[in-house]
Amino acid sequence: MKARVHVTLKTGVLDPQGKAIQHALSQLDFDGVEGVRTGKVFELELTDTDQTHARERVEAMCQQLLANTVIENYDIEIG
Amino acid sequence: MQAAVIVFPGSNCDRDVAVALERASGQRPLMVWHKDSVLPDVDLIVLPGGFSYGDYLRSGAIAAHSPVLRDVKARAEKGTAVLGICNGFQVLIESGLLPGGLLRNESLKYICKDVGLTVQSNESVFTRHYHSDQRVVFPIAHGDGNYFIDESGRKRLEDEERIAFRYCDTKGQVTPEANPNGSVANIAGIYNKQRNVLGMMPHPERLADPALGGNDGAAMFDGLVEALS
């Protein structure tokens, strides 16, 4: 089973890399980009066969290591 | 005073801090490899600066789960003094011993320079040889030193007088211009609630000998020796 985890900075936390990318996009004449937020994607290959159990485990992985929940949000996709 | 300096793969200020500690105490610190699971009996544990595990995932995130950290946390909870400098501060944050988070510098630049700091609270074994509001100069050298904590967390740190150092200008004023990395409220270092854990981005060990161009860091190590011997 596969799991994909998206980790992004929380709203209100400054994302200087996102700001730099937004600036670069405007330099390339891409108008109308009101904001850019950067993040990380983790693709996990799991041996689990039960979706609920897999989600619980990935949730624990996010809490303990993959995200710093003080500054980051995470989103889990299973399957 | 017997100190232990934890060495992670990627630590690069471990020997600098060991020299500063030996100079102050006359006793060579024990260098402890991150894979050791039990620490020797020591009065002070230092998590040094550097790039533990190459800063993979987030600065300090992998080191916070290395075998030795379990015992560091247990000792800290029992009251042993723990000092985390730069990457060591990032490890303390990631391990949950100190609150908040450390983000990429606002400028996106790696910054290496001497900065002014004011000592906000000198009531700890680390800062007892400074006065409150004293201005000192320590170097910084980091890419991820932008301290973040939410509003209620910041208020709690202030109410409990747990802010150890703030970035300031040459007159000792805490101004936005004197903030090198975008940290909330110019925060450069904080204590835990029991005040036996200090995490800070600046490097006191890099200006702890007049031969290095400054001696402001020496008082931290002298104070620790006096308090913990």
Side-chain angles (χ1 to χ4, degrees), chain B residues 34-46:
Chain B
H34 69 115
K35 282 195 173 160
D36 291 357
S37 47
V38 181
L39 281 160
D41 195 16
V42 290
D43 309 299
L44 170 72
I45 299 164
V46 180

Side-chain angles (χ1 to χ4, degrees), chain B residues 5-127:
Chain B
V5 177
I6 311 293
V7 185
F8 300 101
S11 293
N12 64 10
C13 297
D14 45 335
R15 283 176 291 172
D16 306 57
V17 78
V19 168
L21 286 164
E22 187 174 353
R23 194 171 187 275
S25 67
Q27 203 166 344
R28 188 164 293 187
L30 302 168
M31 306 306 275
V32 178
W33 184 234
H34 69 115
K35 282 195 173 160
D36 291 357
S37 47
V38 181
L39 281 160
D41 195 16
V42 290
D43 309 299
L44 170 72
I45 299 164
V46 180
L47 305 177
F51 297 88
S52 58
Y53 298 87
D55 279 352
Y56 295 155
L57 187 59
R58 296 177 305 276
S59 301
I62 310 273
H65 296 281
S66 65
V68 77
L69 249 289
R70 237 167 286 151
D71 204 24
V72 171
K73 282 168 96 167
R75 302 287 180 102
E77 277 153 23
K78 281 187 197 150
T80 301
V82 178
L83 170 62
I85 301 167
C86 197
N87 188 235
F89 184 20
Q90 293 161 340
V91 175
L92 289 173
I93 293 258
E94 285 287 341
S95 66
L97 279 167
L98 292 174
L102 286 159
L103 298 162
R104 189 66 41 95
N105 293 341
E106 201 171 359
S107 63
L108 284 175
K109 290 180 181 141
Y110 183 92
I111 309 166
C112 184
K113 64 175 185 181
D114 292 351
V115 296
L117 303 168
T118 59
V119 179
Q120 297 291 289
S121 164
N122 68 348
E123 286 177 28
S124 77
V125 293
F126 311 95
T127 49

